[in-house]
Amino acid sequence: MSGADNVVWLGTPAFPEAARTALADTRLRANLRRATGTIRDKRLAVTSELEDWEELRERAAAVKRHTLRHLDHHLLRLEEAVTAAGGVVHWAADASEANRIVTALVKQTGEDEVVKVKSMVTQEIGLNEALADAGIRAYETDLAELVVQLGGDRPSHVLVPAIHRGRSEMREIFRREMRKWGRPAPDELTDDPRDLAEAARLHLREKFLRAKVAVSGANFAAADTGTVVVVESEGNGRMCLTLPDTLITVMGIEKVLPSFADLDVFLQLLPRSSTGERMNPYTSLWTGVTEGDGPQTFHLILLANGRTAALADEVGRQAPSCIRCSACLNVCPVYERTGGHAYGSVYPGPIGAVFTPQLVGVENAASLPFASTLCGACYDACPEKIDIPEVLVHLRAEAVEAKRRARLLPTTEALAMKAAGAVLSSPGRLAAAQRVAALGARLVARNGRIGALPGPLARWSTTRDTSAPPRESLRAWWRRTRPRVREDSRTTAGGKQ
């Protein structure tokens, strides 16, 4: 399987083209500005309550660095603990292998439908589509994911997948599509959030009560006890994790923590960074299986899918520390204006711009590292202190190098940079170039500004307002005036004596 197959809908179209379309959608921009602004304000309010917030960030970053450095050890400990608690552990190298394992496990139960907890990793591997190809229908139970599924849409945010939809759009989707998937929406449904939530509850309840198989992701897993953790805000996840007979959890290998005690810091950081809450309304923890309580069959699938390659990158290995809180998305000026779909990846925003190229190969997502202003707001907001701007710059260099290797002939830009290097490395050539530039500028400048330039240079001049170079460079001015400066200095010095 090629690297580009690891994450669904990658780069179709590339970010620059998709961003232009998104920027023209005024409703999308209004929805994003309102939603991200609200979450930002809530996050700032609850994080400022903790005097040790920065210490918590440092501790979490240290735990993740240690864990990822010794990942093989902790994963084997996790497998041993889950197995001892009655669970079954499977290892999946890539998306296709994970999909085959889940499909086979569902078929073993004889069921043809599953209920799902909101999960980024199952979106990453395209699990719903793989199950559908096998005749198995997957029902999303998170409210926002339900909106996305019913609308035939794609998630656009790590935390709030339907952030690009307004309430009136959600109402129309419910009224039009719910009947095709089960219980229809009430005829009198309004766009009041309480009415929308109630319609979703009624629609999903029958599915919860009849479902025999559930599929989830995982926020964390403790290697010492084998405990798996899912946090959520609605309670739909709790229904999936407790009612069915069989639970299948797909987890990225980076989600493991060394010990149960490590959850202390992460369960403080995650809700404050993601939803602006002091704690998640629902925090579900389970360890294997317990007779007479919850699912009696538990499968844990540990997924690599490009993560080992990311960990091999000395600069980029920070990215797998991400706990999917979405804080970086909510402060990013680029995301706020373009939305998540423009990134063409399951993982949008700043973290997606660094994580996706690592999962699939930077050559397959070359535009994403450039989808940033490098303002640093994401680094300030990240509870894991991932230096996203540093990784972006690192991946930009890799993208340029990958592009260079793929070409038989150098690009115009490469030739221009080589020429600039030759000029700037020689004082004589630089002086000559400055004289030529000053002369040329006088020919094309109007009112002190450079107008339209010919040929490939037109792409620069038509989108920038550039001042004309000065008639005389600083170097030339210095040489011309230096004798007079020296004479004035001697005169002044003599007068003082």
Side-chain angles (χ1 to χ4, degrees):
M1 186 173 80
S2 67
D5 294 330
N6 287 8
V7 179
V8 291
W9 359 292
L10 177 65
T12 310
F15 182 83
E17 182 181 345
R20 291 190 192 98
T21 302
L23 288 170
D25 189 336
T26 56
R27 174 186 282 186
L28 170 68
R29 295 181 65 178
N31 290 344
L32 289 169
R33 184 170 57 252
R34 181 171 56 252
T36 56
T38 299
I39 298 172
R40 278 199 304 269
D41 292 342
K42 291 176 64 179
R43 173 188 165 274
L44 288 172
V46 296
T47 57
S48 63
E49 295 174 350
L50 298 181
E51 294 182 358
D52 63 342
W53 178 251
E54 289 304 317
E55 288 77 5
L56 285 171
R57 292 179 70 201
E58 290 285 358
R59 181 182 165 195
V63 170
K64 277 290 189 177
R65 283 195 302 268
H66 164 81
T67 305
L68 296 178
R69 195 158 50 238
H70 305 284
L71 187 59
D72 53 347
H73 170 69
H74 294 303
L75 287 173
L76 291 175
R77 290 176 63 223
L78 175 65
E79 178 184 33
E80 182 180 351
V82 170
T83 303
V88 181
V89 176
H90 309 261
W91 299 80
D94 54 30
S96 60
E97 185 173 8
N99 287 333
R100 286 196 301 270
I101 293 171
V102 176
T103 301
L105 292 175
V106 176
K107 284 188 172 181
Q108 287 175 14
T109 67
E111 297 295 316
D112 60 2
E113 64 178 22
V114 301
V115 289
K116 286 187 65 199
V117 185
K118 178 182 179 298
S119 164
M120 296 293 295
V121 74
T122 59
Q123 294 165 6
E124 173 189 326
I125 64 177
L127 178 61
N128 287 9
E129 294 79 5
L131 290 175
D133 290 341
I136 301 167
R137 197 166 199 181
Y139 295 106
E140 297 290 351
T141 63
D142 174 82
L143 176 57
E145 287 285 0
L146 177 64
V147 172
V148 169
Q149 184 176 51
L150 293 179
D153 205 350
R154 302 184 318 210
S156 63
H157 191 275
V158 171
L159 178 68
V160 192
I163 196 171
H164 57 289
R165 295 289 192 184
R167 292 183 301 178
S168 60
E169 294 176 279
M170 295 180 187
R171 178 194 60 197
E172 293 308 312
I173 290 172
F174 280 9
R175 294 177 65 178
R176 183 180 68 248
E177 300 294 334
M178 270 188 172
R179 60 173 52 89
K180 301 175 185 178
W181 291 74
R183 179 170 178 155
D187 294 334
E188 66 279 6
L189 180 65
T190 72
D191 64 0
D192 183 279
R194 290 171 296 185
D195 288 348
L196 294 172
E198 181 63 16
R201 289 190 190 99
L202 294 174
H203 177 78
L204 292 170
R205 188 163 297 162
E206 62 181 17
K207 295 178 173 56
F208 288 136
L209 293 176
R210 73 167 184 257
K212 302 298 182 184
V213 182
V215 176
S216 83
N219 292 100
F220 309 104
D224 60 344
T225 63
T227 303
V228 183
V229 184
V230 165
V231 298
E232 37 117 9
S233 298
E234 300 168 9
N236 296 330
R238 179 70 58 82
M239 301 285 278
C240 291
L241 297 168
T242 56
L243 293 179
D245 298 328
T246 299
L247 173 60
I248 303 169
T249 296
V250 185
M251 186 187 94
I253 56 176
E254 78 280 12
K255 298 297 186 68
V256 65
L257 298 175
S259 73
F260 189 88
D262 292 322
L263 291 171
D264 170 41
V265 63
F266 291 98
L267 293 182
Q268 293 184 71
L269 287 173
L270 181 55
R272 286 178 167 86
S273 299
S274 58
T275 57
E277 296 170 295
R278 296 175 183 86
M279 64 181 295
N280 289 101
Y282 294 89
T283 301
S284 299
L285 303 91
W286 68 97
T287 305
V289 297
T290 302
E291 185 177 354
D293 183 12
Q296 296 302 290
T297 304
F298 171 54
H299 296 273
L300 176 63
I301 301 170
L302 297 174
L303 175 72
N305 203 38
R307 286 159 173 79
T308 51
L311 292 171
D313 186 331
E314 291 187 2
V315 177
R317 64 178 55 157
Q318 303 174 64
S321 295
C322 173
I323 58 174
R324 311 292 191 270
C325 69
S326 76
C328 62
L329 281 72
N330 299 326
V331 299
C332 178
V334 175
Y335 176 86
E336 184 177 308
R337 288 159 179 79
T338 63
H341 292 161
Y343 293 81
S345 166
V346 171
Y347 302 104
I351 191 61
V354 297
F355 196 43
T356 299
Q358 290 182 305
L359 292 183
V360 304
V362 71
E363 68 279 3
N364 297 310
S367 68
L368 289 186
F370 298 89
S372 170
T373 65
L374 300 180
C375 68
C378 50
Y379 176 52
D380 292 338
C382 177
E384 285 291 320
K385 306 196 76 168
I386 300 171
D387 194 342
I388 294 177
E390 178 189 30
V391 184
L392 285 169
V393 172
H394 168 67
L395 292 176
R396 288 180 182 188
E398 288 196 352
V400 170
E401 181 61 21
K403 187 176 180 181
R404 185 193 65 78
R405 290 195 302 266
R407 286 180 174 270
L408 296 176
L409 297 174
T411 63
T412 302
E413 180 183 17
L415 292 173
M417 291 298 103
K418 188 172 183 179
V423 169
L424 295 173
S425 64
S426 167
R429 287 193 289 266
L430 176 60
Q434 288 173 329
R435 289 194 295 271
V436 171
L439 176 62
R442 287 199 292 273
L443 298 177
V444 298
R446 295 180 180 178
N447 299 322
R449 302 287 178 179
I450 294 178
L453 294 174
L457 297 177
R459 296 180 63 182
W460 174 275
S461 60
T462 56
T463 57
R464 292 167 176 83
D465 188 13
T466 308
S467 299
R471 291 176 176 272
E472 185 178 35
S473 69
L474 174 63
R475 182 187 299 271
W477 173 86
W478 180 260
R479 287 176 175 172
R480 178 172 58 80
T481 61
R482 185 170 52 178
R484 188 173 65 195
V485 170
R486 287 179 176 174
E487 182 63 30
D488 291 346
S489 298
R490 284 196 296 269
T491 302
T492 302
K496 287 182 179 179
Q497 291 176 348

